[in-house]
Amino acid sequence: MLPRHHEPIVAIATAPGRGAVGIVRVSGQGLGALTEALCGRALRPREATYLPFRDADGQAIDQGLALYFPAPHSYTGEDVLELQAHGGPVVLQMLLARCLEAAAHIHPATAQPTLPGLRVAQPGEFTERAFLNDKIDLAQAEAIADLIDASTSAAARSASRSLSGAFSQEIHTLRDALIHLRMLVEATLDFPEEEIDFLRKADARGQLSKLEQTLAQVMQRARQGALLREGIKVVIAGQPNAGKSSLLNALAGAELAIVTPIAGTTRDKVQQTIQIEGVPLHVIDTAGLRESEDEVERIGIARAWDAIAGADAVLFLHDLTRCSTPEYQAADAAIAAAMAERLPASVPVIDVWNKCDCAPWDGSVDRPNHVRLSARTGEGLVPLRQQLLAVAGWQSAPEGVYIARQRHVQALQAVARHLDMAAGQLDSPGPALDLLAEELRLAQNALSEITGEFSSDDLLGVIFSSFCIGK
């Protein structure tokens, strides 16, 4: 019985639903007999051939293009057969079933199944084969999924840059420099009787400083890439009738939330993803925060506090037409205190003073993050968008940003911690070289987790299970 990663696999590679073209993809070793059964003839490598796809009785299921990519020059590194048919779901299911049927059929020349063990692929299994067969590394594999899932053009371009190997090349450059430094330290450990100070003469401290500087640059671009991919969750909060729903509609440019003069109109969360300079922002409108006897409204308020607790940034909306009254000020102060208890210090709260078209602004508010606007007229929306980008950590028009994930950022942060510990050892009067060598080894392992040179099967399972079937 073949190991799982060597079993031949088949799947519909196009999205569910109707379309002009649909693709059924097969990957494995020795697809010749299966190709003849389906296409009635052998295929020339990497040459599209228009022909009928035949069932077991030789009748045409459909007509389309067949392409054969022999190993190792294919997406997966194995033999790959692609059948491009009309994109009706019934036709594609018939082709998929025909592939499985033909694979199990006994070949008269060998008295063996045409393609033993052929099964339907798991999500991401074609790309997993490409990774396991060294066609791509793990960061490039993730970039494929990120390119498919990109919600903005900036995210798509950054994912394409990662797929081309730009991010991986940066990681390999860091790894090579780290390996060279490890070599110097290991040499010092292996030959302690030598009087020559290997580390001083080789400028090990200078090499480590340069490595830390390069790492900082890579981390900055990776953070920007992670922001492009994942965006941030922005929660609009405040008292009833402060204009939260109007602000959501203004940011989205559409009437998504119901707006009325009646307090407590919003009973549940309303979410919309918008983009600012290519950065996705997941904006959530919440129920007005107040004491209420209405059971439904109380549930909505509880959900609002849950959303605030999980926010990356909060827009705390204030009504300029009411903010001078003692009752309103007291309620705002209570909300601010409750937010301070629920939110980490790292989560920014932007004070938004709404309805500036209806009330004067005396400019007396002295807070680090605040914006004056009118959700009704749109005045002040541009500064608010820029403020959101600023608190998210976005740098305008960064050069060379590649898509990245939080796991990449966390791995780079781990590398930085180990290099910092290594620097502490080098700077100490009597450095413990064995500890220095260990910190450098751990730093290299953290780097290798990004590209998959050092990874667990559990990590691979999590990554590839998020792919679509057929990819």
Side-chain angles (χ1 to χ4, degrees):
M1 184 175 180
L2 290 173
R4 173 183 172 274
H5 294 311
H6 293 285
E7 294 171 346
I9 53 176
V10 60
I12 299 171
T14 41
R18 293 178 174 83
V21 177
I23 299 174
V24 173
R25 175 183 289 164
V26 186
S27 180
Q29 299 298 333
L31 302 185
L34 179 67
T35 300
E36 290 191 15
L38 289 163
C39 304
R41 50 174 289 188
L43 299 175
R44 293 173 62 88
R46 294 173 296 281
E47 183 177 297
T49 306
Y50 181 71
L51 44 71
F53 307 129
R54 302 191 178 278
D55 63 16
D57 298 324
Q59 300 298 313
I61 298 172
D62 191 10
Q63 295 197 55
L65 294 178
L67 295 100
Y68 170 61
F69 303 91
H73 306 295
S74 70
Y75 177 71
T76 63
E78 303 171 333
D79 293 342
V80 170
L81 174 66
E82 286 195 358
L83 308 177
Q84 300 185 7
H86 292 95
V90 174
V91 172
L92 295 178
Q93 287 293 338
M94 291 173 67
L95 279 178
L96 178 66
R98 173 59 180 143
C99 288
L100 295 169
E101 176 192 39
H105 182 73
I106 301 299
H107 194 280
T110 63
Q112 296 293 327
T114 298
L115 189 62
L118 180 68
R119 59 174 173 80
V120 176
Q122 297 294 315
E125 196 166 1
F126 288 93
T127 303
E128 185 180 21
R129 297 281 176 97
F131 165 70
L132 294 173
N133 292 326
D134 296 323
K135 302 294 290 185
I136 53 175
D137 64 31
L138 195 55
Q140 288 174 297
E142 290 170 306
I144 293 170
D146 294 335
L147 182 58
I148 294 171
D149 294 337
S151 59
T152 69
S153 59
R157 285 193 297 269
S158 298
S160 179
R161 198 174 290 118
S162 289
L163 179 56
S164 69
F167 182 36
S168 300
Q169 183 57 49
E170 297 251 17
I171 299 303
H172 291 152
T173 300
L174 283 170
R175 183 203 60 189
D176 292 344
L178 190 51
I179 289 174
H180 185 263
L181 187 56
R182 285 189 65 194
M183 177 188 68
L184 295 175
V185 175
E186 297 290 346
T188 306
L189 284 171
D190 290 341
F191 303 101
E193 69 279 0
E194 296 289 340
E195 296 180 358
I196 300 175
D197 185 352
F198 287 102
L199 299 183
R200 180 178 58 80
K201 288 186 176 294
D203 189 24
R205 189 63 184 89
Q207 290 188 42
L208 181 56
S209 296
K210 185 177 180 180
L211 189 57
E212 288 178 309
Q213 292 171 6
T214 305
L215 175 64
Q217 295 170 357
V218 174
M219 284 182 66
Q220 176 59 26
R221 287 194 287 272
R223 287 193 186 99
Q224 298 288 289
L227 189 58
L228 273 180
R229 178 184 182 269
E230 298 170 11
I232 62 170
K233 183 163 71 172
V234 179
V235 174
I236 305 174
Q239 296 188 54
N241 273 0
K244 298 182 297 299
S245 297
S246 296
L247 180 56
L248 173 65
N249 293 342
L251 287 170
E255 296 296 320
L256 301 174
I258 299 172
V259 177
T260 74
I262 303 171
T265 300
T266 302
R267 298 296 185 95
D268 204 350
K269 297 182 294 184
V270 180
Q271 179 169 331
Q272 177 68 18
T273 297
I274 64 172
Q275 59 169 300
I276 304 174
E277 293 188 18
V279 178
L281 271 67
H282 314 293
V283 185
I284 303 172
D285 176 27
T286 59
L289 302 175
R290 65 174 178 177
E291 295 294 330
S292 175
E293 298 299 324
D294 186 293
E295 182 64 24
V296 176
E297 187 179 2
R298 288 172 61 185
I299 294 172
I301 293 170
R303 292 182 179 180
W305 281 115
D306 288 342
I308 291 169
D312 298 312
V314 176
L315 299 181
F316 186 5
L317 221 61
H318 309 277
D319 184 348
L320 280 172
T321 64
R322 294 184 285 159
C323 65
S324 60
T325 63
E327 297 83 0
Y328 191 87
Q329 291 177 0
D332 258 11
I335 293 171
M339 282 187 189
E341 292 180 0
R342 288 170 166 83
L343 289 173
S346 58
V347 176
V349 177
I350 301 175
D351 288 288
V352 180
W353 303 89
N354 189 28
K355 304 183 184 180
C356 68
D357 57 320
C358 300
W361 168 256
D362 59 12
S364 60
V365 178
D366 183 19
R367 299 187 186 180
N369 295 322
H370 71 271
V371 177
R372 180 179 68 95
L373 60 74
S374 168
R376 185 175 67 85
T377 67
E379 179 186 351
L381 284 180
V382 172
L384 176 60
R385 292 188 179 103
Q386 295 305 313
Q387 185 81 277
L388 284 170
L389 288 179
V391 300
W394 179 251
Q395 293 180 350
S396 181
E399 294 295 328
V401 170
Y402 31 68
I403 208 75
R405 299 187 173 199
Q406 279 303 319
R407 82 167 190 92
H408 302 152
V409 175
Q410 291 167 359
L412 291 171
Q413 289 171 339
V415 175
R417 288 194 299 272
H418 290 305
L419 292 186
D420 185 61
M421 296 291 289
Q425 289 295 334
L426 270 178
D427 294 338
S428 63
L433 296 183
D434 54 343
L435 295 180
L436 171 61
E438 177 64 9
E439 293 297 341
L440 295 178
R441 184 187 70 82
L442 293 173
Q444 183 181 341
N445 285 350
L447 272 181
S448 298
E449 287 179 0
I450 295 175
T451 55
E453 296 164 274
F454 179 83
S455 60
S456 67
D457 289 340
D458 289 342
L459 174 63
L460 298 183
V462 169
I463 289 173
F464 290 108
S465 65
S466 66
F467 279 57
C468 53
I469 294 176
K471 195 61 180 177

Coordinates of all heavy atoms in Angstrom, one line a residue, residues 207-238:
Q207 N 29.0 41.2 12.7 CA 28.1 40.4 11.9 C 26.7 40.2 12.5 O 25.7 40.3 11.8 CB 28.8 39.0 11.7 CG 30.0 39.0 10.8 CD 30.5 37.6 10.5 OE1 29.7 36.7 10.2 NE2 31.8 37.4 10.5
L208 N 26.7 40.1 13.8 CA 25.5 39.9 14.5 C 24.6 41.2 14.4 O 23.4 41.2 14.2 CB 25.7 39.5 16.0 CG 24.5 39.3 16.8 CD1 23.5 38.3 16.2 CD2 24.9 38.9 18.3
S209 N 25.3 42.4 14.6 CA 24.6 43.7 14.5 C 24.0 43.8 13.1 O 22.9 44.3 13.0 CB 25.6 44.8 14.8 OG 26.0 44.7 16.1
K210 N 24.8 43.5 12.1 CA 24.2 43.6 10.7 C 23.1 42.7 10.5 O 22.1 43.0 9.8 CB 25.4 43.3 9.7 CG 25.0 43.5 8.2 CD 26.1 43.2 7.3 CE 25.7 43.4 5.9 NZ 26.8 43.1 4.9
L211 N 23.2 41.5 11.1 CA 22.1 40.5 11.0 C 20.8 41.1 11.7 O 19.7 40.9 11.1 CB 22.5 39.2 11.7 CG 21.6 38.0 11.5 CD1 21.4 37.6 10.0 CD2 22.2 36.8 12.2
E212 N 21.0 41.7 12.8 CA 19.8 42.3 13.5 C 19.2 43.4 12.7 O 18.0 43.6 12.7 CB 20.2 42.8 14.9 CG 20.5 41.6 15.9 CD 21.0 42.1 17.2 OE1 22.0 43.0 17.2 OE2 20.5 41.7 18.2
Q213 N 20.0 44.2 12.1 CA 19.5 45.3 11.2 C 18.7 44.8 10.1 O 17.6 45.3 9.7 CB 20.6 46.2 10.8 CG 21.3 47.0 11.9 CD 22.6 47.7 11.4 OE1 22.9 47.6 10.2 NE2 23.3 48.2 12.3
T214 N 19.2 43.8 9.4 CA 18.5 43.2 8.3 C 17.2 42.5 8.7 O 16.2 42.7 8.0 CB 19.4 42.1 7.6 OG1 20.6 42.7 7.2 CG2 18.7 41.6 6.3
L215 N 17.3 41.9 9.9 CA 16.0 41.3 10.4 C 15.0 42.3 10.7 O 13.8 42.1 10.4 CB 16.4 40.5 11.7 CG 15.2 39.9 12.4 CD1 14.5 38.8 11.6 CD2 15.6 39.3 13.8
A216 N 15.4 43.5 11.2 CA 14.4 44.5 11.5 C 13.7 45.0 10.2 O 12.5 45.3 10.2 CB 15.1 45.7 12.2
Q217 N 14.5 45.1 9.1 CA 13.9 45.5 7.9 C 12.9 44.5 7.3 O 11.8 44.8 6.8 CB 15.0 45.8 6.8 CG 15.9 46.9 7.2 CD 17.1 47.0 6.3 OE1 17.3 46.1 5.4 NE2 18.0 48.0 6.5
V218 N 13.3 43.2 7.4 CA 12.4 42.1 7.0 C 11.1 42.1 7.9 O 10.0 41.9 7.3 CB 13.1 40.8 7.0 CG1 12.2 39.6 6.7 CG2 14.3 40.8 6.1
M219 N 11.3 42.3 9.2 CA 10.1 42.3 10.1 C 9.2 43.4 9.7 O 7.9 43.2 9.7 CB 10.6 42.4 11.5 CG 11.2 41.1 12.1 SD 11.6 41.3 13.8 CE 10.0 41.6 14.6
Q220 N 9.7 44.6 9.4 CA 8.8 45.7 9.0 C 8.0 45.4 7.8 O 6.8 45.6 7.7 CB 9.7 47.0 8.8 CG 8.9 48.2 8.3 CD 7.8 48.6 9.3 OE1 7.9 48.3 10.5 NE2 6.8 49.2 8.8
R221 N 8.6 44.8 6.8 CA 7.9 44.5 5.5 C 6.9 43.3 5.8 O 5.8 43.3 5.2 CB 8.9 44.1 4.4 CG 9.6 45.3 3.9 CD 10.3 45.0 2.5 NE 11.5 44.1 2.7 CZ 12.7 44.6 3.0 NH1 12.9 45.9 3.1 NH2 13.7 43.8 3.1
A222 N 7.3 42.4 6.7 CA 6.4 41.3 7.0 C 5.2 41.8 7.7 O 4.0 41.3 7.5 CB 7.1 40.2 7.8
R223 N 5.4 42.7 8.6 CA 4.2 43.3 9.4 C 3.3 44.0 8.4 O 2.0 43.9 8.5 CB 4.7 44.3 10.4 CG 5.3 43.7 11.6 CD 5.5 44.7 12.7 NE 6.2 44.2 13.9 CZ 7.5 44.4 14.1 NH1 8.2 45.2 13.3 NH2 8.1 43.9 15.1
Q224 N 3.8 44.7 7.4 CA 3.0 45.4 6.4 C 2.2 44.3 5.6 O 1.1 44.5 5.3 CB 3.9 46.2 5.5 CG 4.6 47.4 6.2 CD 3.6 48.5 6.7 OE1 3.1 49.2 5.9 NE2 3.4 48.6 8.0
G225 N 2.9 43.2 5.3 CA 2.3 42.2 4.5 C 1.2 41.5 5.2 O 0.1 41.2 4.7
A226 N 1.4 41.3 6.5 CA 0.4 40.6 7.4 C -0.8 41.6 7.5 O -2.0 41.1 7.5 CB 0.9 40.3 8.8
L227 N -0.6 42.9 7.5 CA -1.7 43.8 7.6 C -2.5 43.8 6.3 O -3.7 43.9 6.3 CB -1.1 45.2 7.8 CG -2.1 46.4 8.1 CD1 -2.9 46.0 9.4 CD2 -1.4 47.7 8.3
L228 N -1.8 43.7 5.1 CA -2.5 43.6 3.8 C -3.3 42.4 3.8 O -4.4 42.4 3.2 CB -1.5 43.6 2.7 CG -1.0 44.9 2.2 CD1 0.0 44.7 1.0 CD2 -2.1 45.8 1.7
R229 N -2.8 41.3 4.3 CA -3.6 40.0 4.2 C -4.7 39.9 5.2 O -5.8 39.5 4.8 CB -2.6 38.8 4.5 CG -3.3 37.5 4.5 CD -2.4 36.4 4.9 NE -3.1 35.1 4.8 CZ -3.7 34.5 5.8 NH1 -3.8 35.2 7.0 NH2 -4.4 33.4 5.7
E230 N -4.5 40.4 6.4 CA -5.5 40.1 7.4 C -6.3 41.4 7.8 O -7.4 41.2 8.3 CB -4.8 39.6 8.7 CG -4.1 38.2 8.4 CD -3.2 37.8 9.5 OE1 -3.3 38.4 10.6 OE2 -2.5 36.8 9.3
G231 N -5.7 42.5 7.6 CA -6.4 43.8 8.0 C -6.6 43.9 9.5 O -5.9 43.2 10.2
I232 N -7.4 44.8 9.9 CA -7.7 45.0 11.3 C -9.2 45.1 11.6 O -9.9 45.4 10.7 CB -7.0 46.3 11.9 CG1 -7.5 47.5 11.2 CG2 -5.5 46.2 11.7 CD1 -7.1 48.8 11.9
K233 N -9.6 44.7 12.8 CA -11.0 44.8 13.2 C -11.2 46.1 13.9 O -10.6 46.3 14.9 CB -11.4 43.6 14.0 CG -12.8 43.6 14.4 CD -13.3 42.2 14.9 CE -12.7 41.9 16.2 NZ -13.3 40.6 16.8
V234 N -12.1 46.9 13.3 CA -12.4 48.2 13.9 C -13.8 48.2 14.4 O -14.8 48.0 13.6 CB -12.2 49.3 12.8 CG1 -12.6 50.7 13.4 CG2 -10.8 49.3 12.3
V235 N -14.1 48.5 15.7 CA -15.4 48.5 16.2 C -15.8 50.0 16.5 O -15.1 50.8 17.1 CB -15.4 47.7 17.6 CG1 -16.8 47.9 18.3 CG2 -15.1 46.3 17.3
I236 N -17.0 50.3 16.0 CA -17.6 51.6 16.3 C -18.5 51.5 17.5 O -19.4 50.7 17.6 CB -18.5 52.1 15.1 CG1 -17.6 52.1 13.8 CG2 -19.0 53.5 15.4 CD1 -18.5 52.4 12.6
A237 N -18.2 52.3 18.5 CA -18.9 52.2 19.8 C -19.3 53.6 20.3 O -18.7 54.6 19.9 CB -18.0 51.5 20.9
G238 N -20.3 53.6 21.2 CA -20.7 54.8 21.8 C -22.2 54.7 22.2 O -22.8 53.7 22.2

